Amino acid sequence: MKKTDISLRGKIIYSVYLRNHTEEGTFSALESDLDRIKALGTDIIWLLPIHPIGVINKKGELGCPYSIRDYRGINPEYGTLDDFKHLVDEIHARGMLCIIDVVYNHTSHDSVLRAEHPEFFFKKDDGSFGNRYGDWTDVIDLDYSNAELWDYQIDTLKMWAEIVDGFRCDVASCVPAEFWERAVEEVAKVNPGAIWLAESVYTGHVQFARECGYPVATDSDLYRAFDMEYPYDVQDYFDRYVKGEGTLSAYMNMLTYQEHIFTSDYIKVRFLENHDTQRASKLFPDTEQMLNWLAFVYFQKGTTMLYGGQEWQNQEYCTLFDKAVFDRSAEKDITPYMIKLGEIKKRMFPVDADFSASANDETNIVTAYLSKKDVKIVGVFSMKCNSGEVSVNAPDGEYIEEISGEEITVSGGKVKCSGKPIIFKVN
């Protein structure tokens, strides 16, 4: 089982989709934005797939970056291999790390692997290439029952591990956990500090795949290999609450439950949005409401993950298939707020703290704690900007609220909430 460095819980990941991050959409153009990204408190830049995109059955005008034609190549839309190496050097020069997307469940229809190794692919009952399930029409699935595929994929990872600092692995649950364990072991020979982030899947995805007769790894399976995983094991509860179909307390209970079902070094990435989801500012068009949710994301135990454009409260879904540069309108810029939350996270939140959270379903106010021995951090988050007195497990007295810098009072075991988030430390 992989030994995970829990200091990763104190890090901030910034996700970049090169095509839509700048007008030029290139490695070189991103370099000019690195100082700004670093200023957000970013420790790790994650680049969505950088490889050539398939043409056959492509989606949209330009195709999806997750329909990869050559795992060992560079998308010429972004630049050259030398351009990429220069970008990574510039990221490193600013004290950040760089991880790249690994898409090992499938390739494009016109991939190098299909042409050279058709035996590496899943075949449908009629012998044709395709998907085990789902409607991913621009890709065809790989078959990991072939041992030679393992060797090819791991050799590819070792090649990139000489350049980058780790990997975010797309739908990692659909690739055997045993493959990932071997990959981690082999990559460590090239880069012993490589970071491994798994896009684990919704529990419904696991159930559906198994009903179709295909094995899918659970979160617990993947932790044998990965440092960090997506929080999709409890995401249904968040989604249902946002849609008005579930309660806030049910979501908080599941976040707390994660503390009891995984090993002590488990790490979840915590986010409000990513390239597969609706924009946070679309879910929460009221800025104050969105700021409460964002503060709670930083507060949660785990690695904070941001998506390019989030700092300008972009509302438009960032299509993967076409050119759609995100809006940088200054009037919606919340960069200072995000910088402040990042500073609080790194200064105050112990990476080995215990986490718990509960919610009042009438007021929609969350009370959360990070606790370690004599240290306790209290968070109060008003998810619908309601005000009122909130019970907190803290001694009566005066405290400094960290986001605003103002003094707050706990009296009779309660603190006044104005509808804005509250974070304070109990000494």
Side-chain angles (χ1 to χ4, degrees):
M1 182 177 291
K2 180 176 173 61
K3 178 66 175 176
T4 291
D5 179 4
I6 64 170
S7 70
L8 289 168
R9 289 181 184 144
K11 306 301 183 183
I12 296 172
I13 298 173
Y14 186 94
S15 173
V16 172
Y17 182 23
L18 277 159
R19 177 188 289 166
N20 290 336
H21 193 83
T22 63
E23 289 291 344
E24 300 87 349
T26 62
F27 297 127
S28 297
L30 177 59
E31 289 185 15
S32 64
D33 202 27
L34 292 179
D35 290 333
R36 185 195 64 81
I37 293 172
K38 171 67 175 178
L40 285 168
T42 302
D43 302 286
I44 302 167
I45 290 180
W46 155 35
L47 301 176
L48 270 66
I50 60 171
H51 310 297
I53 295 171
V55 175
I56 296 177
N57 292 344
K58 73 176 182 180
K59 294 182 177 180
E61 181 181 351
L62 299 175
C64 177
Y66 289 89
S67 178
I68 293 174
R69 195 167 71 246
D70 182 4
Y71 290 126
R72 298 181 179 182
I74 290 288
N75 186 348
E77 177 188 343
Y78 298 155
T80 66
L81 178 59
D82 284 341
D83 292 335
F84 174 64
K85 289 180 177 178
H86 193 271
L87 169 63
V88 175
D89 286 343
E90 290 298 308
I91 291 172
H92 289 164
R94 290 161 174 79
M96 296 183 288
L97 302 177
C98 178
I99 64 175
I100 59 172
D101 230 312
V102 171
V103 188
Y104 271 10
N105 179 63
H106 48 257
T107 75
S108 69
H109 289 263
D110 50 350
S111 68
V112 168
L113 280 186
R114 174 171 176 171
E116 298 179 356
H117 294 282
E119 72 277 11
F120 285 178
F121 287 83
F122 164 79
K123 306 295 194 308
K124 296 190 289 187
D125 290 340
D126 62 3
S128 63
F129 296 86
N131 311 121
R132 291 174 177 84
Y133 47 84
D135 185 28
W136 295 345
T137 56
D138 59 339
V139 297
I140 50 177
D141 289 358
L142 290 160
D143 179 5
Y144 280 84
S145 67
N146 189 309
E148 291 183 4
L149 173 61
W150 289 39
D151 294 337
Y152 182 93
Q153 299 291 64
I154 290 172
D155 286 345
T156 303
L157 288 168
K158 292 168 75 172
M159 181 193 86
W160 290 112
E162 293 181 347
I163 303 171
V164 300
D165 305 292
F167 306 100
R168 178 267 185 191
C169 300
D170 188 64
V171 287
S173 307
C174 297
V175 175
E178 293 79 12
F179 166 83
W180 293 122
E181 287 184 276
R182 182 180 154 196
V184 169
E185 181 179 344
E186 290 294 317
V187 166
K189 297 174 182 178
V190 175
N191 185 344
I195 298 167
W196 292 86
L197 166 59
E199 185 199 23
S200 46
V201 297
Y202 278 72
T203 54
H205 187 136
V206 175
Q207 180 179 351
F208 177 73
R210 290 178 173 177
E211 289 173 352
C212 293
Y214 301 117
V216 174
T218 65
D219 283 38
S220 296
D221 294 329
L222 292 177
Y223 273 127
R224 303 201 312 257
F226 286 89
D227 298 300
M228 301 179 283
E229 296 183 9
Y230 273 45
Y232 284 165
D233 54 320
V234 300
Q235 195 73 7
D236 278 328
Y237 293 85
F238 171 80
D239 294 343
R240 285 200 287 267
Y241 171 71
V242 171
K243 294 175 183 176
E245 299 170 358
T247 64
L248 187 59
S249 61
Y251 178 46
M252 294 304 116
N253 290 344
M254 293 307 297
L255 288 173
T256 303
Y257 184 56
Q258 287 178 328
E259 285 283 272
H260 309 295
I261 60 173
F262 298 122
T263 56
S264 60
D265 62 349
Y266 88 99
I267 304 176
K268 290 286 185 178
V269 289
R270 308 296 184 178
F271 52 77
L272 271 187
E273 61 180 76
N274 61 56
H275 67 273
D276 285 324
T277 70
Q278 185 61 265
R279 286 287 194 175
S281 291
K282 188 73 170 180
L283 293 177
F284 309 112
D286 182 291
T287 296
E288 289 301 323
Q289 184 183 10
M290 194 275 297
L291 294 181
N292 271 279
W293 274 105
L294 186 58
F296 181 59
V297 165
Y298 278 83
F299 189 90
Q300 290 175 59
K301 183 175 179 176
T303 307
T304 302
M305 191 164 78
L306 309 172
Y307 183 42
Q310 187 171 350
E311 59 269 54
W312 285 282
Q313 298 189 71
N314 275 211
Q315 291 196 356
E316 294 303 315
Y317 177 74
C318 189
T319 174
L320 290 176
F321 316 132
D322 301 292
K323 183 74 174 177
V325 180
F326 62 73
D327 180 20
R328 299 181 183 232
S329 299
E331 63 188 35
K332 292 187 175 182
D333 188 358
I334 56 169
T335 294
Y337 185 77
M338 293 168 72
I339 291 174
K340 183 65 176 179
L341 292 175
E343 183 275 327
I344 294 170
K345 174 185 178 74
K346 294 180 180 184
R347 173 171 53 86
M348 289 184 60
F349 302 164
V351 296
D352 56 348
D354 294 322
F355 172 84
S356 62
S358 59
N360 183 317
D361 288 327
E362 293 184 3
T363 63
N364 286 278
I365 295 177
V366 168
T367 308
Y369 301 92
L370 291 166
S371 306
K372 175 190 174 184
K373 296 182 179 178
D374 297 330
V375 177
K376 180 183 290 183
I377 313 297
V378 182
V380 177
F381 309 96
S382 185
M383 301 315 195
K384 293 193 175 178
C385 303
N386 293 322
S387 59
E389 290 194 324
V390 180
S391 296
V392 291
N393 184 11
D396 287 0
E398 306 297 322
Y399 300 91
I400 297 298
E401 197 288 303
E402 294 292 335
I403 301 176
S404 65
E406 298 175 354
E407 191 174 82
I408 59 172
T409 301
V410 175
S411 177
K414 295 184 177 182
V415 65
K416 291 182 179 179
C417 173
S418 67
K420 298 180 183 295
I422 296 171
I423 298 173
F424 66 95
K425 180 178 180 180
V426 177
N427 297 320

